[in-house]
Amino acid sequence: PMRSELARTPSGQRRGSRKTSCWTATTRRPLTEFIRTGGCLCGGVRFRIHPPVRDVWVCHCSQCRRTSGHYWATTAVSLERFELTELKTLRWFRSSATARRGFCHSCGASLFWHKNDSEQMNVSAGSIDGPTDLLTERHIYLDDAGDYYQIHPQELRTTGTEMDDN
């Protein structure tokens, strides 16, 4: 069911598993393989990501919404292809027992999500210098989406893919 169709508990929360809803884009285009750069608003954190880079996933979970102020759009790259070129203002926050989030302590930019023992770094799509040549491929944790926005299903199809905890 769509987020707006989910039943609510007496406290107003939506019922259903946070992991069961997932939407994926219906069209794809080939990715140009090039090195992407990016960073935070003040420049205290800069990075380079070498191809291949995953297309963008949009996370609607409450942790991502709280850390970013809205849903969080992220791409991912293997750690061996991720390079920090400036890290003087980078700080890490342990957001759960299984993951940490990287941010700039000067300007507040939410930049990275890294699961413990993962060989992959998730990078905020909005922090990448454009053009990115990336597509939004998937929406995850739709059951946990905020009630102040709508997701338009006519542009997406369901896949049933489950994701790991934040």
Side-chain angles (χ1 to χ4, degrees):
M2 283 303 303
R3 179 196 56 77
S4 59
E5 298 171 358
L6 293 172
R8 294 191 178 261
T9 64
S11 67
Q13 291 182 334
R14 284 184 217 86
R15 294 183 183 172
S17 168
R18 290 178 49 206
K19 289 186 177 184
T20 57
S21 292
C22 179
W23 292 89
T24 302
T26 58
T27 58
R28 296 208 27 101
R29 63 184 164 79
L31 292 178
T32 305
E33 297 298 319
F34 62 94
I35 297 172
R36 292 164 178 89
T37 59
C40 66
L41 188 59
C42 71
V45 179
R46 295 289 302 165
F47 59 85
R48 234 180 258 139
I49 49 180
H50 301 263
V53 178
R54 187 197 71 210
D55 271 334
V56 175
W57 290 12
V58 178
C59 185
H60 298 269
C61 82
S62 60
Q63 279 192 15
C64 283
R65 287 187 294 109
R66 287 181 188 275
T67 194
S68 70
H70 197 34
Y71 50 76
W72 201 56
T74 180
T75 186
V77 64
S78 68
L79 286 177
E80 65 187 22
R81 297 179 180 277
F82 173 75
E83 176 184 0
L84 284 167
T85 57
E86 180 63 60
L87 57 108
K88 65 183 171 192
T89 60
L90 178 62
R91 297 295 183 270
W92 291 94
F93 172 70
R94 173 86 32 215
S95 58
S96 72
T98 61
R100 64 187 182 147
R101 295 174 185 270
F103 66 98
C104 173
H105 80 86
S106 180
C107 68
S110 179
L111 300 166
F112 312 117
W113 182 85
H114 182 248
K115 186 175 179 182
N116 297 355
D117 303 322
S118 173
E119 293 300 317
Q120 178 173 284
M121 180 63 71
N122 288 269
V123 178
S124 167
S127 68
I128 300 171
D129 301 329
T132 67
D133 197 37
L134 297 172
L135 286 174
T136 297
E137 171 181 70
R138 182 173 291 167
H139 288 251
I140 59 174
Y141 295 104
L142 290 174
D143 289 352
D144 207 21
D147 62 357
Y148 56 91
Y149 61 91
Q150 293 182 354
I151 302 157
H152 301 285
Q154 67 272 18
E155 301 170 12
L156 306 167
R157 67 180 169 84
T158 187
T159 65
T161 303
E162 290 190 6
M163 296 301 301
D164 293 325
D165 289 332
N166 289 314

